[in-house]
Amino acid sequence: AGGGADAPAAAPAAAPAAAGFTEAVALLRQAAGVYEYCRTVVLPHVTAEVAAAASTQQQQQQQRPAELQPEVVSLLSAMCLAEAQAVAVLRAQAKGSSANTLAALEAGCAELFAEAAACVAPLIKAAGASGGGGW
């Protein structure tokens, strides 16, 4: 008798959870777009101002925090998209989607994380070239 009483309560709880997944995906995709906007529109202006104030490229690198490096911003954007896809996978699992659907979503997720990982290689190389002291 206890199982029957619990079943109707589970259905209303699923709706807020589904809305949470949807909102999380939307916000992560929006964040990725904001990062891309910053990389393509805002950072060129910041870079120009820093370059004007610094006499060497090394000074430019030291004056800019990592978050103002275009490569880091690209990484953050890629990570947001990959995380959005990961949340979409969780949503599909919660809905009981088919194995084929889950496989396709998970493959897309792996591809997006691979793209994000590819953004890291130039950052590691740059950190090594600068003695590891900055990006």
Side-chain angles (χ1 to χ4, degrees), residues 89-117:
V89 169
L90 292 175
R91 168 84 165 99
Q93 288 172 337
K95 283 178 45 179
S97 295
S98 71
N100 287 341
T101 299
L102 290 174
L105 288 170
E106 290 168 351
C109 188
E111 184 177 321
L112 289 168
F113 275 113
E115 289 174 14

Side-chain angles (χ1 to χ4, degrees), residues 12-13 25 30 34 43 46-47 49 60 65 68 83 91 104 111 122 132:
V25 169
Q30 183 179 15
V34 169
L43 284 182
V46 171
T47 302
E49 288 181 23
Q60 290 178 31
L68 293 180
E83 290 292 343
R91 168 84 165 99
E111 184 177 321

